[in-house]
Amino acid sequence: MSTTMQDEPQDADPLPPDVLDAGAGRGRAHAERTCLVTREAGSPERMIRFALSPDNQVVPDLRARLPGRGAWVTATRAAVQEAVRKRLFQRAFRQKDAHVAPDLADVIEAGLREDLRQGFSLANKAGCVVTGFTKVESAVDSPTGVKALVHASDASPDGRRKLAQALRRRYGDAISRIPVIDDLSGEELDMALGRDHVIHAALVAGAGTAGLLARWRRLHVFRGGTATSGSAGTEPTGSDAALPDAVQDGGPSLRTGPPEAGG
């Protein structure tokens, strides 16, 4: 039987009164939410929602759609780990024995990686993915150009360098606006695209482009990067607009218990 926390521990900072809230699609749909860790209000699109399942499990709700009242944490690995370490989920839900997986951050990253793979599959079906070194190089040099460059995480440095040079020739100083996605292995890209030996690819304009880039940015930010596009051969820098709703609408909802959740 669960134990309810009636009061905050005397040595703990009190949590904000609005720390629990409904999912992004209900109630205050577009209102800011309060992060458990930073205590700062922000867009729900930059946070991860957590719900309490009927069996007292704290579960990530990446689409912010599970029923019941949920807690919100800034969508970074560091913030999630801090929430676990300080037992902030137990305090927020007022359940001392609420179970939080010690590897919660790893569970979330795995879900975001799967979401990215799904994004590649959808973009490929929409005709937005070009594969093969020669075809990618041609796409970069084309009048329409590319929206992102993709490398398998195990791609050779030589191939990366040559395509970076092609981007530099095509875009010059504007190269920083072209994302370079290298989060998935060649095997993962093969599975996502339904092809063999995918090492280099390019994302071109089309119906699946924005959704894929939004999923990539969300994973990248969670890992500790910034939300910008990035530049060829370098880490992204700067800031970016809020992630689009498509990330939450199409992303997975990670849960270990029944679909109903209570607060």
Side-chain angles (χ1 to χ4, degrees):
M1 185 178 233
S2 64
T3 303
T4 302
M5 297 175 66
Q6 299 296 334
D7 300 302
E8 295 283 354
Q10 293 184 352
D11 59 346
D13 295 332
L15 294 175
D18 60 346
V19 72
L20 292 183
D21 202 353
R26 302 183 300 276
R28 301 182 303 128
H30 301 290
E32 292 184 333
R33 265 61 175 192
T34 301
C35 172
L36 281 182
V37 176
T38 66
R39 313 293 173 86
E40 296 178 355
S43 167
E45 294 167 349
R46 293 184 178 275
M47 297 185 184
I48 295 173
R49 184 177 186 265
F50 296 83
L52 190 66
S53 70
D55 59 353
N56 225 30
Q57 304 278 331
V58 174
V59 294
D61 179 18
L62 296 185
R63 288 183 294 176
R65 291 295 182 266
L66 290 179
R69 295 177 68 77
W72 298 79
V73 175
T74 300
T76 65
R77 170 177 282 274
V80 171
Q81 289 176 327
E82 185 76 352
V84 173
R85 185 181 69 82
K86 291 186 174 181
R87 294 180 57 83
L88 296 181
F89 293 113
Q90 288 87 343
R91 291 174 56 195
F93 289 109
R94 294 186 174 275
Q95 297 288 339
K96 288 183 179 179
D97 59 350
H99 178 71
V100 180
D103 61 345
L104 183 60
D106 292 333
V107 172
I108 294 171
E109 181 168 335
L112 294 175
R113 285 178 66 88
E114 174 60 26
D115 196 29
L116 180 60
R117 288 192 290 269
Q118 292 177 6
F120 268 106
S121 180
L122 292 172
N124 184 50
K125 290 177 181 178
C128 301
V129 180
V130 175
T131 61
F133 185 92
T134 302
K135 291 182 179 180
V136 170
E137 194 171 36
S138 296
V140 170
D141 292 333
S142 71
T144 55
V146 299
K147 296 299 182 181
L149 190 61
V150 181
H151 301 301
S153 58
D154 46 352
S156 69
D158 185 57
R160 292 170 181 259
R161 178 181 56 79
K162 290 178 179 177
L163 287 176
Q165 290 173 343
L167 281 179
R168 176 70 65 182
R169 290 193 303 268
R170 172 66 171 78
Y171 293 98
D173 292 339
I175 191 175
S176 62
R177 296 201 300 266
I178 305 301
V180 176
I181 302 174
D182 60 358
D183 302 87
L184 302 181
S185 68
E187 182 178 358
E188 288 177 301
L189 288 174
D190 289 352
M191 293 176 61
L193 300 177
R195 306 177 190 180
D196 294 329
H197 309 298
V198 177
I199 303 299
H200 303 288
L203 184 66
V204 298
T209 301
L212 173 56
L213 289 177
R215 293 165 192 246
W216 170 72
R217 290 187 183 106
R218 199 178 193 203
L219 172 62
H220 194 76
V221 169
F222 183 80
R223 287 174 163 173
T226 55
T228 57
S229 301
S231 58
T234 64
E235 289 297 322
T237 57
S239 60
D240 191 70
L243 302 182
D245 292 340
V247 177
Q248 293 179 346
D249 292 339
S253 177
L254 303 179
R255 49 186 173 84
T256 55
E260 296 81 17

